[in-house]
Amino acid sequence: NHYWLAINYLLFFLLFSLAYLAYKKPAAACGILIILFPTYLFRTKIFGVPTTFLELAFIAVFVVWLMKNLKQFQVFLQRRIRLGQTGFKFQVSSFSYPIILLLLASAISIFTSPNTLSALGLWKAYFIEPVLLFFLFTNAIKTEKEKEFIFWCLGASTLPIAIFAIFQKFTGWGIAEPMWISESTRRVTAIFTSPNAVGLYLGPIAVIYFGWIVINLKSQISNLKNIFIIAIMLINIFAIVFTKSQGTWVGVLAGIIFLCYFLI
C-alpha cells in the first residue's frame, strides 16, 4: 500500500505539472498526453464516477488550454467592439458536420440502451472525449515542428510496451494468462491482459510510422531521423508478430497496402 501511496503522489504531481505545461506550451502538453496514453490502466472513482488517470490528464490539459484561449478571445472581442466592428467570421471545419451527426446518433443510442448509466460512460469515453481531443489537437498543434513532435511522442509511447512484449517473448515473464506462458503457445501481453490489446495499440502507430518513412524517402529526405523512424517501426512490428494476433497482422498489412496505394 505504501508503494501505491507514493505512486499516487507522483501521479498528482504529474497531473499538476501537465496542467502548468498546457498553459505555457500547449503543443508540448499534447505530446506528453500522448506518451501517457497507457495510463488509462490507472483507474479510480471521483464521487462514484469511474475514471482513469489518462482521462484526468486530458481534462486538465483541455480545460487549461480552453481557459487560456477564452481569455484571448475576450480580449479580441473587446477590441472589436471598441472599434465598432461587431461582425465575426467563424471558420467551420469540413469535419464539423460529420462530427455533429456522429454525436447526435451516439446520443440517441444512449436512450435505447438497457443500461443508461453504462451507456453514458461509454458515450463520454468513446465519443465526447475523442471529439474534444480532436478539437484540442487541431487548434493547439500548428507548426510543422509541433506536428513532428507529436509523431515522435506517438513512437515514444509504444517503446515501453513493445520492448516489454519482446522481453516476454524470450522469457515468458509477466504474461497475463498462464496458458500463454508456455514456449509452444506463448503470446505476449506486455502491460495488458490480452495480446490483442498490444496489437490494437501498436498496430496503428506502426502503420503511421511506415507512412512517415515512405514520405521521407519519396521526398529524398535522408538523415538520422529516418534510422530512428525505421527502428521504432521494426520494434513495434516484432512485438506485433509475437502477439500472434492474426487480426492485428491483417490490419497492419491492410494499412500498409492502403498507404502504398496513395503514397507510392
Side-chain angles (χ1 to χ4, degrees):
N1 288 336
H2 63 280
Y3 288 118
W4 276 110
L5 185 62
I7 291 174
N8 281 322
Y9 281 127
L10 177 63
L11 291 176
F12 275 116
F13 174 76
L14 183 59
L15 195 62
F16 285 110
S17 299
L18 193 61
Y20 177 78
L21 187 62
Y23 182 79
K24 290 294 184 179
K25 295 183 178 181
C30 290
I32 301 299
L33 187 64
I34 287 177
I35 295 176
L36 292 175
F37 275 174
T39 60
Y40 79 89
L41 295 173
F42 291 97
R43 302 178 186 275
T44 187
K45 287 185 178 181
I46 298 179
F47 301 112
V49 179
T51 186
T52 67
F53 178 79
L54 176 63
E55 188 173 49
L56 295 176
F58 164 68
I59 292 173
V61 172
F62 183 80
V63 169
V64 171
W65 172 84
L66 185 62
M67 291 175 62
K68 179 181 178 182
N69 283 270
L70 282 176
K71 184 178 179 181
Q72 293 177 352
F73 177 75
Q74 289 173 356
V75 172
F76 175 73
L77 179 62
Q78 291 172 358
R79 290 176 179 174
R80 296 278 295 210
I81 293 176
R82 193 178 301 120
L83 294 172
Q85 299 172 343
T86 56
F88 291 93
K89 293 182 179 180
F90 295 97
Q91 185 176 359
V92 180
S93 169
S94 58
F95 293 102
S96 298
Y97 296 116
I99 288 174
I100 292 172
L101 290 175
L102 178 64
L103 290 178
L104 285 175
S106 61
I108 292 171
S109 67
I110 295 173
F111 302 100
T112 63
S113 171
N115 191 331
T116 305
L117 188 61
S118 297
L120 280 170
L122 292 174
W123 186 62
K124 170 178 68 72
Y126 292 168
F127 293 95
I128 297 298
E129 289 172 0
V131 168
L132 293 179
L133 183 68
F134 171 78
F135 181 77
L136 171 65
F137 273 56
T138 52
N139 285 275
I141 311 299
K142 298 177 181 179
T143 67
E144 291 299 321
K145 188 176 180 179
E146 291 174 345
K147 293 176 184 178
E148 184 176 320
F149 174 70
I150 294 298
F151 273 84
W152 285 119
C153 289
L154 277 172
S157 72
T158 66
L159 288 179
I161 298 171
I163 292 173
F164 186 30
I166 293 172
F167 173 76
Q168 285 181 330
K169 171 62 180 177
F170 296 102
T171 64
W173 184 83
I175 294 177
E177 293 292 334
M179 63 180 178
W180 294 325
I181 296 177
S182 174
E183 191 172 354
S184 59
T185 59
R186 184 168 297 166
R187 299 182 66 189
V188 299
T189 60
I191 60 175
F192 305 107
T193 57
S194 166
N196 294 333
V198 179
L200 284 170
Y201 191 84
L202 301 184
I205 299 176
V207 174
I208 289 172
Y209 265 60
F210 174 81
W212 192 7
I213 193 65
V214 168
I215 290 174
N216 283 354
L217 295 177
K218 189 176 179 181
S219 303
Q220 296 182 347
I221 300 175
S222 179
N223 50 36
L224 187 61
K225 292 180 182 179
N226 288 346
I227 298 176
F228 287 106
I229 294 171
I230 294 173
I232 293 173
M233 181 184 67
L234 291 178
I235 290 172
N236 281 296
I237 289 176
F238 279 127
I240 290 169
V241 169
F242 295 150
T243 63
K244 296 183 180 179
S245 175
Q246 296 180 0
T248 303
W249 295 353
V250 172
V252 170
L253 181 61
I256 289 174
I257 293 173
F258 179 84
L259 288 180
C260 287
Y261 178 79
F262 286 99
L263 296 180
I264 298 178

mmCIF file of all heavy atoms in Angstrom, residues 227-258:
data_model
loop_
_atom_site.group_PDB
_atom_site.id
_atom_site.type_symbol
_atom_site.label_atom_id
_atom_site.label_comp_id
_atom_site.label_asym_id
_atom_site.label_seq_id
_atom_site.Cartn_x
_atom_site.Cartn_y
_atom_site.Cartn_z
ATOM 1 N N ILE A 227 16.534 6.688 -39.526
ATOM 2 C CA ILE A 227 17.003 5.494 -38.817
ATOM 3 C C ILE A 227 16.159 5.245 -37.579
ATOM 4 O O ILE A 227 15.745 4.114 -37.296
ATOM 5 C CB ILE A 227 18.498 5.635 -38.447
ATOM 6 C CG1 ILE A 227 19.342 5.757 -39.716
ATOM 7 C CG2 ILE A 227 18.952 4.456 -37.593
ATOM 8 C CD1 ILE A 227 20.809 6.000 -39.452
ATOM 9 N N PHE A 228 15.867 6.317 -36.836
ATOM 10 C CA PHE A 228 15.048 6.174 -35.632
ATOM 11 C C PHE A 228 13.610 5.793 -35.990
ATOM 12 O O PHE A 228 12.985 4.992 -35.282
ATOM 13 C CB PHE A 228 15.073 7.474 -34.827
ATOM 14 C CG PHE A 228 16.366 7.725 -34.110
ATOM 15 C CD1 PHE A 228 17.254 8.680 -34.560
ATOM 16 C CD2 PHE A 228 16.703 6.983 -32.986
ATOM 17 C CE1 PHE A 228 18.449 8.916 -33.899
ATOM 18 C CE2 PHE A 228 17.891 7.209 -32.318
ATOM 19 C CZ PHE A 228 18.780 8.173 -32.775
ATOM 20 N N ILE A 229 13.096 6.357 -37.081
ATOM 21 C CA ILE A 229 11.733 6.019 -37.513
ATOM 22 C C ILE A 229 11.647 4.539 -37.853
ATOM 23 O O ILE A 229 10.719 3.833 -37.422
ATOM 24 C CB ILE A 229 11.323 6.879 -38.728
ATOM 25 C CG1 ILE A 229 11.224 8.345 -38.333
ATOM 26 C CG2 ILE A 229 9.985 6.405 -39.296
ATOM 27 C CD1 ILE A 229 11.035 9.291 -39.509
ATOM 28 N N ILE A 230 12.620 4.047 -38.629
ATOM 29 C CA ILE A 230 12.624 2.634 -39.009
ATOM 30 C C ILE A 230 12.804 1.749 -37.789
ATOM 31 O O ILE A 230 12.147 0.693 -37.658
ATOM 32 C CB ILE A 230 13.733 2.370 -40.047
ATOM 33 C CG1 ILE A 230 13.415 3.095 -41.363
ATOM 34 C CG2 ILE A 230 13.906 0.878 -40.300
ATOM 35 C CD1 ILE A 230 14.527 3.042 -42.385
ATOM 36 N N ALA A 231 13.667 2.150 -36.864
ATOM 37 C CA ALA A 231 13.921 1.358 -35.659
ATOM 38 C C ALA A 231 12.650 1.218 -34.822
ATOM 39 O O ALA A 231 12.299 0.109 -34.383
ATOM 40 C CB ALA A 231 15.034 1.987 -34.837
ATOM 41 N N ILE A 232 11.943 2.322 -34.609
ATOM 42 C CA ILE A 232 10.702 2.275 -33.830
ATOM 43 C C ILE A 232 9.656 1.421 -34.528
ATOM 44 O O ILE A 232 8.951 0.614 -33.893
ATOM 45 C CB ILE A 232 10.175 3.704 -33.585
ATOM 46 C CG1 ILE A 232 11.128 4.472 -32.665
ATOM 47 C CG2 ILE A 232 8.770 3.673 -32.982
ATOM 48 C CD1 ILE A 232 10.785 5.940 -32.496
ATOM 49 N N MET A 233 9.553 1.574 -35.850
ATOM 50 C CA MET A 233 8.587 0.792 -36.616
ATOM 51 C C MET A 233 8.881 -0.703 -36.507
ATOM 52 O O MET A 233 7.975 -1.520 -36.277
ATOM 53 C CB MET A 233 8.613 1.225 -38.078
ATOM 54 C CG MET A 233 7.623 0.483 -38.958
ATOM 55 S SD MET A 233 7.768 0.963 -40.701
ATOM 56 C CE MET A 233 9.399 0.311 -41.106
ATOM 57 N N LEU A 234 10.160 -1.094 -36.649
ATOM 58 C CA LEU A 234 10.524 -2.510 -36.593
ATOM 59 C C LEU A 234 10.308 -3.096 -35.200
ATOM 60 O O LEU A 234 9.858 -4.245 -35.068
ATOM 61 C CB LEU A 234 11.982 -2.689 -37.024
ATOM 62 C CG LEU A 234 12.279 -2.437 -38.505
ATOM 63 C CD1 LEU A 234 13.767 -2.599 -38.788
ATOM 64 C CD2 LEU A 234 11.476 -3.389 -39.385
ATOM 65 N N ILE A 235 10.626 -2.328 -34.163
ATOM 66 C CA ILE A 235 10.390 -2.804 -32.789
ATOM 67 C C ILE A 235 8.905 -3.086 -32.575
ATOM 68 O O ILE A 235 8.521 -4.118 -31.997
ATOM 69 C CB ILE A 235 10.901 -1.763 -31.771
ATOM 70 C CG1 ILE A 235 12.425 -1.713 -31.791
ATOM 71 C CG2 ILE A 235 10.408 -2.093 -30.361
ATOM 72 C CD1 ILE A 235 13.020 -0.583 -30.962
ATOM 73 N N ASN A 236 8.066 -2.197 -33.082
ATOM 74 C CA ASN A 236 6.618 -2.404 -32.967
ATOM 75 C C ASN A 236 6.154 -3.622 -33.754
ATOM 76 O O ASN A 236 5.321 -4.399 -33.275
ATOM 77 C CB ASN A 236 5.880 -1.156 -33.443
ATOM 78 C CG ASN A 236 5.857 -0.052 -32.417
ATOM 79 O OD1 ASN A 236 5.286 -0.189 -31.350
ATOM 80 N ND2 ASN A 236 6.492 1.055 -32.727
ATOM 81 N N ILE A 237 6.692 -3.789 -34.953
ATOM 82 C CA ILE A 237 6.284 -4.927 -35.793
ATOM 83 C C ILE A 237 6.706 -6.247 -35.162
ATOM 84 O O ILE A 237 5.943 -7.229 -35.156
ATOM 85 C CB ILE A 237 6.861 -4.766 -37.211
ATOM 86 C CG1 ILE A 237 6.127 -3.622 -37.940
ATOM 87 C CG2 ILE A 237 6.732 -6.072 -37.995
ATOM 88 C CD1 ILE A 237 6.668 -3.308 -39.308
ATOM 89 N N PHE A 238 7.922 -6.309 -34.600
ATOM 90 C CA PHE A 238 8.353 -7.525 -33.912
ATOM 91 C C PHE A 238 7.405 -7.857 -32.758
ATOM 92 O O PHE A 238 7.022 -9.019 -32.570
ATOM 93 C CB PHE A 238 9.783 -7.363 -33.396
ATOM 94 C CG PHE A 238 10.834 -7.588 -34.437
ATOM 95 C CD1 PHE A 238 11.811 -6.633 -34.669
ATOM 96 C CD2 PHE A 238 10.848 -8.746 -35.198
ATOM 97 C CE1 PHE A 238 12.780 -6.827 -35.640
ATOM 98 C CE2 PHE A 238 11.814 -8.960 -36.172
ATOM 99 C CZ PHE A 238 12.790 -7.994 -36.389
ATOM 100 N N ALA A 239 7.057 -6.847 -31.980
ATOM 101 C CA ALA A 239 6.145 -7.078 -30.858
ATOM 102 C C ALA A 239 4.786 -7.561 -31.348
ATOM 103 O O ALA A 239 4.176 -8.455 -30.742
ATOM 104 C CB ALA A 239 5.990 -5.798 -30.040
ATOM 105 N N ILE A 240 4.305 -6.987 -32.454
ATOM 106 C CA ILE A 240 3.016 -7.400 -33.019
ATOM 107 C C ILE A 240 3.075 -8.850 -33.486
ATOM 108 O O ILE A 240 2.140 -9.630 -33.282
ATOM 109 C CB ILE A 240 2.627 -6.459 -34.179
ATOM 110 C CG1 ILE A 240 2.278 -5.076 -33.636
ATOM 111 C CG2 ILE A 240 1.453 -7.026 -34.972
ATOM 112 C CD1 ILE A 240 2.137 -4.010 -34.695
ATOM 113 N N VAL A 241 4.180 -9.241 -34.106
ATOM 114 C CA VAL A 241 4.343 -10.629 -34.554
ATOM 115 C C VAL A 241 4.271 -11.577 -33.362
ATOM 116 O O VAL A 241 3.636 -12.642 -33.418
ATOM 117 C CB VAL A 241 5.682 -10.798 -35.305
ATOM 118 C CG1 VAL A 241 5.976 -12.284 -35.543
ATOM 119 C CG2 VAL A 241 5.638 -10.051 -36.630
ATOM 120 N N PHE A 242 4.900 -11.188 -32.245
ATOM 121 C CA PHE A 242 4.942 -12.059 -31.069
ATOM 122 C C PHE A 242 3.599 -12.151 -30.347
ATOM 123 O O PHE A 242 3.418 -13.025 -29.505
ATOM 124 C CB PHE A 242 6.016 -11.574 -30.104
ATOM 125 C CG PHE A 242 7.417 -11.674 -30.648
ATOM 126 C CD1 PHE A 242 8.410 -10.787 -30.244
ATOM 127 C CD2 PHE A 242 7.741 -12.640 -31.596
ATOM 128 C CE1 PHE A 242 9.703 -10.879 -30.755
ATOM 129 C CE2 PHE A 242 9.016 -12.736 -32.120
ATOM 130 C CZ PHE A 242 10.006 -11.860 -31.699
ATOM 131 N N THR A 243 2.661 -11.248 -30.658
ATOM 132 C CA THR A 243 1.331 -11.356 -30.048
ATOM 133 C C THR A 243 0.541 -12.519 -30.646
ATOM 134 O O THR A 243 -0.395 -13.016 -30.013
ATOM 135 C CB THR A 243 0.505 -10.074 -30.247
ATOM 136 O OG1 THR A 243 0.278 -9.868 -31.651
ATOM 137 C CG2 THR A 243 1.205 -8.868 -29.643
ATOM 138 N N LYS A 244 0.909 -12.913 -31.868
ATOM 139 C CA LYS A 244 0.168 -13.946 -32.616
ATOM 140 C C LYS A 244 -1.297 -13.563 -32.779
ATOM 141 O O LYS A 244 -2.183 -14.419 -32.845
ATOM 142 C CB LYS A 244 0.289 -15.310 -31.940
ATOM 143 C CG LYS A 244 1.711 -15.853 -31.903
ATOM 144 C CD LYS A 244 1.764 -17.239 -31.299
ATOM 145 C CE LYS A 244 3.195 -17.776 -31.266
ATOM 146 N NZ LYS A 244 3.286 -19.120 -30.658
ATOM 147 N N SER A 245 -1.541 -12.257 -32.858
ATOM 148 C CA SER A 245 -2.888 -11.745 -33.074
ATOM 149 C C SER A 245 -3.111 -11.582 -34.570
ATOM 150 O O SER A 245 -2.646 -10.615 -35.183
ATOM 151 C CB SER A 245 -3.058 -10.400 -32.353
ATOM 152 O OG SER A 245 -4.322 -9.838 -32.638
ATOM 153 N N GLN A 246 -3.792 -12.538 -35.164
ATOM 154 C CA GLN A 246 -3.954 -12.546 -36.616
ATOM 155 C C GLN A 246 -4.760 -11.346 -37.111
ATOM 156 O O GLN A 246 -4.512 -10.829 -38.198
ATOM 157 C CB GLN A 246 -4.624 -13.850 -37.042
ATOM 158 C CG GLN A 246 -3.778 -15.098 -36.750
ATOM 159 C CD GLN A 246 -4.453 -16.375 -37.171
ATOM 160 O OE1 GLN A 246 -5.578 -16.366 -37.687
ATOM 161 N NE2 GLN A 246 -3.792 -17.511 -36.941
ATOM 162 N N GLY A 247 -5.708 -10.900 -36.289
ATOM 163 C CA GLY A 247 -6.475 -9.717 -36.673
ATOM 164 C C GLY A 247 -5.581 -8.485 -36.800
ATOM 165 O O GLY A 247 -5.738 -7.687 -37.729
ATOM 166 N N THR A 248 -4.619 -8.360 -35.882
ATOM 167 C CA THR A 248 -3.677 -7.236 -35.962
ATOM 168 C C THR A 248 -2.787 -7.371 -37.183
ATOM 169 O O THR A 248 -2.507 -6.383 -37.865
ATOM 170 C CB THR A 248 -2.819 -7.180 -34.696
ATOM 171 O OG1 THR A 248 -3.659 -7.085 -33.556
ATOM 172 C CG2 THR A 248 -1.888 -5.969 -34.732
ATOM 173 N N TRP A 249 -2.336 -8.580 -37.470
ATOM 174 C CA TRP A 249 -1.492 -8.787 -38.652
ATOM 175 C C TRP A 249 -2.223 -8.333 -39.910
ATOM 176 O O TRP A 249 -1.649 -7.636 -40.751
ATOM 177 C CB TRP A 249 -1.125 -10.257 -38.781
ATOM 178 C CG TRP A 249 -0.267 -10.805 -37.675
ATOM 179 C CD1 TRP A 249 0.307 -10.090 -36.670
ATOM 180 C CD2 TRP A 249 0.087 -12.167 -37.464
ATOM 181 N NE1 TRP A 249 1.014 -10.920 -35.836
ATOM 182 C CE2 TRP A 249 0.904 -12.202 -36.298
ATOM 183 C CE3 TRP A 249 -0.184 -13.362 -38.122
ATOM 184 C CZ2 TRP A 249 1.432 -13.388 -35.790
ATOM 185 C CZ3 TRP A 249 0.341 -14.547 -37.622
ATOM 186 C CH2 TRP A 249 1.140 -14.553 -36.476
ATOM 187 N N VAL A 250 -3.485 -8.741 -40.030
ATOM 188 C CA VAL A 250 -4.269 -8.382 -41.211
ATOM 189 C C VAL A 250 -4.474 -6.870 -41.265
ATOM 190 O O VAL A 250 -4.374 -6.246 -42.329
ATOM 191 C CB VAL A 250 -5.629 -9.110 -41.206
ATOM 192 C CG1 VAL A 250 -6.523 -8.595 -42.335
ATOM 193 C CG2 VAL A 250 -5.434 -10.617 -41.337
ATOM 194 N N GLY A 251 -4.768 -6.258 -40.092
ATOM 195 C CA GLY A 251 -4.989 -4.813 -40.041
ATOM 196 C C GLY A 251 -3.751 -4.025 -40.443
ATOM 197 O O GLY A 251 -3.841 -3.057 -41.207
ATOM 198 N N VAL A 252 -2.582 -4.443 -39.937
ATOM 199 C CA VAL A 252 -1.329 -3.750 -40.278
ATOM 200 C C VAL A 252 -1.026 -3.909 -41.763
ATOM 201 O O VAL A 252 -0.642 -2.951 -42.439
ATOM 202 C CB VAL A 252 -0.166 -4.289 -39.415
ATOM 203 C CG1 VAL A 252 1.167 -3.762 -39.933
ATOM 204 C CG2 VAL A 252 -0.362 -3.891 -37.961
ATOM 205 N N LEU A 253 -1.191 -5.120 -42.272
ATOM 206 C CA LEU A 253 -0.938 -5.366 -43.698
ATOM 207 C C LEU A 253 -1.881 -4.539 -44.574
ATOM 208 O O LEU A 253 -1.455 -3.942 -45.573
ATOM 209 C CB LEU A 253 -1.096 -6.856 -44.006
ATOM 210 C CG LEU A 253 -0.828 -7.288 -45.459
ATOM 211 C CD1 LEU A 253 0.607 -6.969 -45.854
ATOM 212 C CD2 LEU A 253 -1.111 -8.775 -45.637
ATOM 213 N N ALA A 254 -3.155 -4.478 -44.193
ATOM 214 C CA ALA A 254 -4.131 -3.686 -44.950
ATOM 215 C C ALA A 254 -3.759 -2.202 -44.905
ATOM 216 O O ALA A 254 -3.857 -1.495 -45.919
ATOM 217 C CB ALA A 254 -5.533 -3.901 -44.388
ATOM 218 N N GLY A 255 -3.315 -1.725 -43.746
ATOM 219 C CA GLY A 255 -2.909 -0.327 -43.619
ATOM 220 C C GLY A 255 -1.702 0.000 -44.478
ATOM 221 O O GLY A 255 -1.648 1.059 -45.114
ATOM 222 N N ILE A 256 -0.739 -0.918 -44.519
ATOM 223 C CA ILE A 256 0.458 -0.704 -45.336
ATOM 224 C C ILE A 256 0.105 -0.688 -46.822
ATOM 225 O O ILE A 256 0.586 0.163 -47.578
ATOM 226 C CB ILE A 256 1.502 -1.788 -45.030
ATOM 227 C CG1 ILE A 256 2.092 -1.572 -43.623
ATOM 228 C CG2 ILE A 256 2.616 -1.788 -46.072
ATOM 229 C CD1 ILE A 256 3.025 -2.664 -43.171
ATOM 230 N N ILE A 257 -0.766 -1.616 -47.240
ATOM 231 C CA ILE A 257 -1.199 -1.651 -48.645
ATOM 232 C C ILE A 257 -1.940 -0.366 -49.001
ATOM 233 O O ILE A 257 -1.741 0.224 -50.079
ATOM 234 C CB ILE A 257 -2.094 -2.884 -48.898
ATOM 235 C CG1 ILE A 257 -1.267 -4.170 -48.763
ATOM 236 C CG2 ILE A 257 -2.735 -2.809 -50.282
ATOM 237 C CD1 ILE A 257 -2.090 -5.437 -48.829
ATOM 238 N N PHE A 258 -2.794 0.092 -48.096
ATOM 239 C CA PHE A 258 -3.552 1.335 -48.304
ATOM 240 C C PHE A 258 -2.607 2.517 -48.491
ATOM 241 O O PHE A 258 -2.777 3.326 -49.413
ATOM 242 C CB PHE A 258 -4.463 1.564 -47.107
ATOM 243 C CG PHE A 258 -5.286 2.822 -47.187
ATOM 244 C CD1 PHE A 258 -6.474 2.864 -47.872
ATOM 245 C CD2 PHE A 258 -4.844 3.975 -46.549
ATOM 246 C CE1 PHE A 258 -7.231 4.030 -47.948
ATOM 247 C CE2 PHE A 258 -5.575 5.149 -46.614
ATOM 248 C CZ PHE A 258 -6.776 5.178 -47.321
#
